[in-house]
Amino acid sequence: MPISPLYRLSVSAVRGAACSLNAACHAVSLPVASAPRWLAAGVMGALLATTSPAALAVEIKGVTFADQVTTQSSQPLTLIGSGLFTYLLWDAYVGAYYQDARRPRPAPLKDVSRRLVLEYFHAIDAEDFAKATTKGVRKNLSAADFAAIEPELTRFNRAYQDVVPGDRYALQWLPAGGGRGTLSLVLNGQVIFESDSLALANGLFAIWLGDEPAQQDFRTQLLGQ
């Protein structure tokens, strides 16, 4: 749960699709990798839910999202909305937004348990993710607020890894009271970054769910509106 990888295709992906008829057809006609690595791995990370086939309630372009997931502390998170992010003529990725089941109304920038999951249709470099993330966070924060989280944001960006079609990133915030909690970035079930900064969490979630989202239609879909 980043032209930036978390919210756009990498330059290489666009060039590849433009230069190859097969690649272009693949991008426009919807197929997804037949065996995503996150699924083949078999064992999900602690921050990704364990679900049964019956719980897979939403399907977008062949990608499924459960209608409810649980955290490692057994807290249920309910699916608020899901959608498809497109860039130019290409399907870039699909996403799903989950929130504390006790908070039925979307509150993506509040101190509540929440998770954003994105599954990609194209390869994206870690460097592109980092550039897009910085741009998206800066767009949604004041200069002072951005400066306050910049050191942690830099650390976050260093955690990114390249992705291939079928990979999933999950961004999650679990509050612990007093404005503290655990922010996690998870790649295919493996936790690759953690922080206790609510301000950083809000800045990151704002890339897709803030006042200046990467794509308004995608934000609307994620919030179930």
Side-chain angles (χ1 to χ4, degrees), residues 1 6 93-96 116-120 167-169 208 218:
M1 90 217 61
L6 285 182
Y93 51 81
V94 289
L116 176 65
V117 182
L118 303 176
E119 180 167 324
Y120 301 90
D167 280 348
R168 282 193 176 192
Y169 264 124
W208 300 271
F218 188 58

Side-chain angles (χ1 to χ4, degrees), residues 14 22 33 40 45 60 67 72 74 111 113 122 145 199 211 213:
V14 174
N22 290 336
I60 306 174
D67 60 356
Q72 73 275 26
S74 300
D111 190 14
S113 298
H122 300 268
D145 288 342
D211 293 334

Side-chain angles (χ1 to χ4, degrees), residues 27-192:
V28 175
S29 63
L30 320 180
V32 193
S34 59
R37 291 194 300 165
W38 71 271
L39 184 59
V43 179
M44 302 298 289
L47 297 181
L48 292 182
T50 301
T51 60
S52 64
L56 297 174
V58 176
E59 180 176 328
I60 306 174
K61 305 298 184 183
V63 179
T64 52
F65 295 106
D67 60 356
Q68 189 173 83
V69 297
T70 55
T71 69
Q72 73 275 26
S73 58
S74 300
Q75 179 182 2
L77 302 179
T78 297
L79 180 67
I80 299 297
S82 58
L84 170 69
F85 189 103
T86 59
Y87 178 67
L88 299 179
L89 297 178
W90 293 274
D91 296 337
Y93 51 81
V94 289
Y97 173 64
Y98 297 86
Q99 193 175 280
D100 187 339
R102 298 166 296 181
R103 297 286 297 271
R105 294 184 179 181
L109 304 182
K110 301 293 185 180
D111 190 14
V112 299
S113 298
R114 49 199 148 115
R115 178 186 300 164
L116 176 65
V117 182
L118 303 176
E119 180 167 324
Y120 301 90
F121 294 150
H122 300 268
I124 301 174
D125 296 336
E127 182 179 356
D128 287 336
F129 276 110
K131 290 178 180 178
T133 297
T134 299
K135 181 179 179 181
V137 172
R138 189 188 298 274
K139 184 179 178 181
N140 280 276
L141 298 182
S142 67
D145 288 342
F146 181 84
I149 67 167
E150 191 169 10
E152 273 294 88
L153 178 61
T154 298
R155 189 170 73 87
F156 177 89
N157 284 335
R158 289 172 179 163
Y160 275 125
Q161 298 178 23
D162 299 346
V163 301
V164 298
D167 280 348
R168 282 193 176 192
Y169 264 124
L171 183 68
Q172 181 172 271
W173 171 257
L174 297 178
R180 290 296 182 180
T182 302
L183 170 67
S184 303
L185 179 65
V186 181
L187 175 60
N188 299 329
Q190 179 182 1
V191 179
I192 60 175

